[in-house]
Amino acid sequence: MKFIHISDLHFHRSKKDNKNAVKLLKRIEQRYPAHYLIVTGDITDDGDAEQYGRAAEALSAFSGRMFICPGNHDFGAVGFIYDRNRAELFDERLAKPLGQGGTFAGSNTPVVNVVKAGDESVMLIALDSNLETEVPFDFACGEISDRQLRGLEAILGNPDNAAMVKLLFFHHHPFMRNDPFMELKNARKLWPIVYGRLDVMLFGHRHVSQMWENKGGVRFVLAADNSPGKDYAREIAVYQKTITVQDASIV
């Protein structure tokens, strides 16, 4: 099984402003028709209905083989002002119709999907890392709710899931420290839960592509940049429980 990881598409209302994002998705569709697609948030720029419509249209080709999570721009205007209605639009316009399974707005649990090829299974666990606050200076920061953390603990600690390759993804960057505008506030609660029990962790938010191996007890930790306009995306391949990561050309 192979997965393409992209992030921070930032769909706008104007088609002109979306040219690079649309081109990126069309190239991935053409070059990697059997790959699963993972998008780690900020799919829209303001989370309004028209932007969700543009995004849904461009992503529709990946229905049934796409996994997404929300970013701060999806849940609030300009990424700073949380709006419950915009958060619910993420579920209504993207997560539900495009086959994600599960919802993200409000008090939610991890959204879990399992994909299989032969005897091999990969579990994909999506979290909402948005801090749902009306305080603008806090909202671009992230926080994974205690309910999601308890759910993640139960999933990773379940012996029935031990044989699966497990991939966790969310939006906010867990290594940012002392940044009052962007940090994942409770990242220190996350690491003890995933240590030694997770194979791949994916996120975006910072618009910088990075990769760490064996970081925090996780085999691969991967940060995506803002993908539109780039000539590559990151590919994660799973074969006989061996995981490989490389940059995949999308020119």
Side-chain angles (χ1 to χ4, degrees):
M1 282 176 279
K2 294 183 178 181
F3 304 84
I4 294 287
H5 173 212
I6 60 175
S7 195
D8 295 75
L9 298 175
H10 289 278
F11 270 90
H12 293 76
R13 298 174 187 84
S14 167
K15 288 186 176 181
K16 180 181 177 181
D17 292 334
N18 298 329
K19 185 171 80 170
N20 285 336
V22 170
K23 184 185 294 185
L24 168 84
L25 293 170
K26 285 185 176 179
R27 285 178 173 173
I28 293 173
E29 178 192 357
Q30 292 165 359
R31 290 185 63 108
Y32 304 103
H35 284 51
Y36 294 96
L37 181 68
I38 301 170
V39 190
T40 49
D42 280 2
I43 296 173
T44 66
D45 198 56
D46 280 328
D48 75 6
E50 192 170 358
Q51 291 177 3
Y52 276 119
R54 300 289 187 199
E57 181 182 6
L59 290 165
S60 61
F62 299 93
S63 181
R65 62 182 179 103
M66 181 182 68
F67 304 96
I68 59 175
C69 65
N72 52 297
H73 280 262
D74 298 311
F75 274 19
V78 299
F80 285 99
I81 305 170
Y82 171 70
D83 184 323
R84 180 61 184 267
N85 291 329
R86 294 173 194 241
E88 291 176 349
L89 280 175
F90 184 90
D91 293 329
E92 295 168 8
R93 300 294 177 92
L94 292 181
K96 291 178 181 178
L98 295 178
Q100 167 81 24
T103 55
F104 294 92
S107 179
N108 58 296
T109 57
V111 174
V112 179
N113 287 272
V114 176
V115 295
K116 298 182 178 181
D119 295 330
E120 193 153 52
S121 299
V122 175
M123 175 181 283
L124 297 105
I125 309 164
L127 301 178
D128 166 19
S129 61
N130 284 308
L131 178 60
E132 297 182 4
T133 173
E134 296 181 0
V135 180
F137 289 108
D138 284 343
F139 180 57
C141 291
E143 184 174 87
I144 298 171
S145 69
D146 287 342
R147 186 179 186 192
Q148 289 184 97
L149 291 174
R150 289 194 299 269
L152 181 62
E153 173 76 45
I155 292 165
L156 297 181
N158 187 339
D160 293 339
N161 299 330
M164 296 186 195
V165 170
K166 288 175 280 295
L167 188 156
L168 174 70
F169 63 101
F170 48 88
H171 180 63
H172 288 79
H173 201 297
F175 297 143
M176 299 184 74
R177 298 285 187 270
N178 302 316
D179 185 328
F181 301 104
M182 296 188 72
E183 68 181 355
L184 182 62
K185 287 180 174 290
N186 61 345
R188 287 181 176 85
K189 288 186 177 181
L190 175 66
W191 289 108
I193 295 172
V194 302
Y195 189 91
R197 299 194 291 186
L198 185 67
D199 299 290
V200 183
M201 178 188 289
L202 309 176
F203 47 87
H205 191 46
R206 193 182 177 192
H207 294 192
V208 176
S209 176
Q210 292 176 281
M211 180 175 78
W212 299 265
E213 293 189 51
N214 300 312
K215 180 78 169 178
V218 180
R219 180 72 180 88
F220 288 101
V221 179
L222 309 173
D225 55 15
N226 50 329
S227 299
K230 305 301 189 299
D231 293 334
Y232 67 91
R234 193 159 280 131
E235 178 190 74
I236 302 107
V238 180
Y239 179 68
Q240 295 182 349
K241 297 185 180 178
T242 297
I243 302 168
T244 57
V245 176
Q246 63 179 4
D247 288 339
S249 173
I250 50 174
V251 174

